[in-house]
Amino acid sequence: MKYISTRDNSKEYSFEDVFIKGLADDGGLFIPKEVKKYSTEELKSLSSLGYQDLAKEIIYPFIGDFMTVNELSDIVDKSYSVFRKDNVVDLIKLGDTKILELFHGPTLAFKDIAMQLLGNFYEHYLKKNNKNINVVVATSGDTGAAAIDAIKGKKNMNIFVLHPHEKVSLVQRKLMSTVKEKNVFNIAIEGNFDDCQNLVKSMFADKEFSNSINMSGVNSINWARIIAQAVYYFYTYFQVHDKRPINFSVPTGNFGDVYAGYLSKKMGLPINKFIVATNKNDILHRAISNGNYEAESVSETNSPSMDIQIASNFERLIYDLNDCDDDETTKIMHGIKKKGKYIISKDKMEKINKDFLSTSMSEKEILKTIKEVHTKYDIVLDPHSAIGFGSLDKVNLEGNNIVLATAHPCKFPEAIDKSIGIKSELPDELKYVMGEKENYDIVSNNLSKTQQYIKEKIKWN
Ligand SMILES: *Cc1c(COP(=O)(O)O)cnc(C)c1O
């Protein structure tokens, strides 16, 4: 499969370029030149596969020139052997609604599903090309832990994770900062998540710096993450489909997870609607309901992994809305950078609303949802998943509704305690983390200071 950039679709890239670079040199996001569309018969032939075998089928067409079928098969099996469920994910029923639990990986959030695969993709690439790299990534809490777990101890690579100082939960931080492998570096930036993300973007844009350290990124714009996430939409569809339309409610920050769902629909999976469920950092809700994509300042909430005002993956949708016009997309993205906003026209809103609905939940509503679900079904949802669940009530959509549960409740014990007065405990095999010594450095929100810190830490062992 060949890839192009949303800001210049005349130049072609291989999957290897796309995976290692993350972002195109023109600042655009990578997307496939063409997406394979499955017929009804083809979908039927995939419908009885187990999760791992399905992942191999879905992913291979996207990466074909990067590795052989057998190599991918080994990597998928290895990546998902560390999950606590045989089929990676779990589906549970709460009344008429289904919950897709995506948090059974090593760091208790859905990000493990893509990240474990990426770690092994890197290993394959570095061995084949005899190279070394430094992964630098910004996190609002969950990406960092998932990336560290996937990369820790791997040869010829280091990982640097920038998290917003004192703005991630204690469990989130412990899962990152207690890892002992020598190739893992945690940096607490004195700022918010968007500051961390801007630092990483600036480091990539500084070619002298990024080339000098062989910098690579695993942020949610990395296409390899999107295809790994598309798999669970297929898997779930095959598990639950009946005669009713199928809708997915997706707790959303960077628009990565829900974009993966949209990709699966573009690949022919007959999904009705995606609900873009946000907390009070609701830029995407304002965009999808009113056409007003305008960044405001970030508020801290009890769903910190969604405390984002710049939804990086949204550019991929903007490209589609503008009929794959790369010049127009570039213009819009420059406008967003300069004026902080993009007003979406009426005809484009009609297009968006064919696939997407949206909601925003207040802190109070989130805690109330956790409580209601607990009382009614004896299940504890984490605050992010509760946003997905509560959003269904708000949009009142008929059909077969599935909520993505993106994190284990034990990652956010304060919110759970506040809502239902229960101490949500870590799974036994992770309890030790809370007592381990932490290792992270606090660095000011400053590009050259952060670059200097990284340069000083790099040594190849
Ligand atoms: C990252 C994250 C999200 C948001 O996912 P996006 O792909 O950024 O939209 C939601 N919930 C949890 C728990 C997360 O870690």
Side-chain angles (χ1 to χ4, degrees):
M1 190 176 289
K2 290 285 171 219
Y3 290 85
I4 48 145
S5 157
T6 49
R7 300 195 195 176
D8 176 4
N9 56 25
S10 63
K11 198 171 155 198
E12 291 184 352
Y13 300 86
S14 66
F15 175 77
E16 184 172 300
D17 292 332
V18 166
F19 169 52
I20 297 298
K21 281 175 186 283
L23 195 69
D25 288 335
D26 56 36
L29 304 197
F30 293 116
I31 44 166
K33 196 167 178 186
E34 259 172 279
V35 172
K36 173 182 166 66
K37 196 159 181 186
Y38 291 92
S39 67
T40 312
E41 288 72 44
E42 284 172 313
L43 287 175
K44 206 164 172 210
S45 73
L46 296 173
S47 65
S48 55
L49 296 177
Y51 193 96
Q52 287 83 342
D53 287 339
L54 180 64
K56 295 165 196 175
E57 292 288 334
I58 300 290
I59 295 170
Y60 193 69
F62 287 100
I63 69 161
D65 46 8
F66 185 58
M67 58 177 69
T68 65
V69 179
N70 288 337
E71 284 167 335
L72 176 66
S73 178
D74 290 346
I75 282 182
V76 167
D77 289 339
K78 182 176 166 192
S79 300
Y80 294 140
S81 68
V82 298
F83 281 63
R84 292 181 297 279
K85 298 280 170 194
D86 289 343
N87 271 313
V88 184
V89 302
D90 208 12
L91 257 170
I92 59 171
K93 256 178 111 165
L94 300 190
D96 234 11
T97 305
K98 295 175 189 82
I99 307 285
L100 174 61
E101 292 185 347
L102 300 169
F103 52 73
H104 297 293
T107 70
L108 310 169
F110 82 91
K111 305 222 163 63
D112 285 322
I113 295 178
M115 215 59 92
Q116 285 295 321
L117 207 63
L118 262 64
N120 291 317
F121 277 5
Y122 274 118
E123 192 168 50
H124 170 83
Y125 166 81
L126 295 175
K127 215 154 125 191
K128 195 169 96 181
N129 296 289
N130 194 20
K131 282 201 168 141
N132 53 42
I133 53 160
N134 288 287
V135 169
V136 183
V137 62
T139 185
S140 55
D142 293 325
T143 299
I148 287 171
D149 192 88
I151 290 171
K152 68 183 184 193
K154 290 221 182 323
K155 277 200 194 117
N156 301 326
M157 63 189 303
N158 294 316
I159 173 158
F160 293 87
V161 174
L162 281 62
H163 72 263
H165 185 42
E166 290 178 337
K167 292 192 174 64
V168 300
S169 82
L170 180 67
V171 180
Q172 284 181 317
R173 195 183 72 218
K174 289 261 183 185
L175 284 169
M176 298 193 278
S177 62
T178 60
V179 175
K180 292 191 179 57
E181 277 79 357
K182 294 270 181 295
N183 67 339
V184 173
F185 301 93
N186 280 290
I187 309 173
I189 295 289
E190 293 178 310
N192 60 32
F193 168 71
D194 286 332
D195 295 325
C196 296
Q197 181 144 284
N198 283 331
L199 283 170
V200 173
K201 279 185 184 160
S202 305
M203 283 188 252
F204 267 110
D206 178 351
K207 287 289 158 214
E208 200 186 313
F209 175 79
S210 55
N211 290 336
S212 76
I213 68 161
N214 288 340
M215 184 169 161
S216 187
V218 294
N219 271 94
S220 75
I221 52 159
N222 193 305
W223 184 258
R225 285 181 62 179
I226 304 281
I227 50 183
Q229 289 170 205
V231 175
Y232 47 73
Y233 287 92
F234 281 89
Y235 182 75
T236 306
Y237 178 87
F238 296 140
Q239 299 288 310
V240 306
H241 87 278
D242 50 25
K243 294 218 155 48
R244 296 174 295 165
I246 292 192
N247 308 301
F248 283 93
S249 180
V250 188
T252 302
N254 253 321
F255 203 71
D257 206 4
V258 72
Y259 181 85
Y262 169 76
L263 172 69
S264 73
K265 186 171 180 181
K266 289 203 335 169
M267 291 164 74
L269 198 65
I271 295 169
N272 181 40
K273 293 273 196 279
F274 298 97
I275 301 162
V276 176
T278 68
N279 63 22
K280 67 180 171 193
N281 296 295
D282 61 348
I283 179 168
L284 285 168
H285 173 51
R286 284 179 283 118
I288 291 167
S289 58
N290 294 321
N292 182 20
Y293 185 85
E294 180 171 12
E296 290 175 353
S297 60
V298 181
S299 316
E300 281 176 48
T301 72
N302 53 34
S303 48
S305 303
M306 291 160 57
D307 289 347
I308 289 169
Q309 280 291 338
I310 309 159
S312 308
N313 278 291
F314 200 58
E315 180 168 347
R316 291 191 163 112
L317 188 69
I318 290 177
Y319 179 82
D320 273 10
L321 292 177
N322 288 281
D323 302 316
C324 308
D325 184 334
D326 49 357
D327 289 333
E328 190 58 30
T329 305
T330 308
K331 233 196 272 165
I332 291 166
M333 293 316 296
H334 286 165
I336 291 174
K337 188 151 193 203
K338 217 165 125 199
K339 295 192 231 101
K341 69 173 166 193
Y342 166 42
I343 303 298
I344 307 169
S345 64
K346 212 162 159 241
D347 57 318
K348 297 199 172 72
M349 285 304 293
E350 272 168 28
K351 266 197 201 169
I352 291 185
N353 294 137
K354 271 195 193 133
D355 299 313
F356 299 99
L357 300 175
S358 68
T359 55
S360 162
M361 300 251 300
S362 69
E363 295 299 276
K364 223 169 126 187
E365 289 173 311
I366 297 165
L367 296 181
K368 195 167 151 239
T369 302
I370 295 172
K371 188 162 186 172
E372 281 172 3
V373 169
H374 183 250
T375 308
K376 211 161 163 194
Y377 304 108
D378 202 23
I379 289 273
V380 182
L381 294 179
D382 99 285
H384 304 78
S385 312
I387 293 171
F389 192 90
S391 295
L392 274 179
D393 278 343
K394 290 202 167 192
V395 297
N396 198 11
L397 203 55
E398 288 289 308
N400 193 346
N401 294 329
I402 299 139
V403 176
L404 270 57
T406 50
H408 191 294
C410 72
K411 280 192 123 168
F412 308 96
E414 293 84 2
I416 303 302
D417 185 31
K418 219 164 148 185
S419 170
I420 53 178
I422 282 181
K423 218 172 155 272
S424 180
E425 298 211 350
L426 277 95
D428 284 342
E429 63 273 29
L430 282 168
K431 285 207 170 99
Y432 76 95
V433 165
M434 298 311 284
E436 295 283 284
K437 190 176 161 295
E438 291 191 77
N439 202 349
Y440 66 91
D441 289 312
I442 302 164
V443 175
S444 58
N445 175 19
N446 175 290
L447 179 61
S448 62
K449 288 227 166 73
T450 311
Q451 288 176 321
Q452 196 187 339
Y453 177 93
I454 291 175
K455 283 221 153 179
E456 278 167 11
K457 292 289 177 188
I458 293 175
K459 47 181 186 291
W460 295 108
N461 27 27

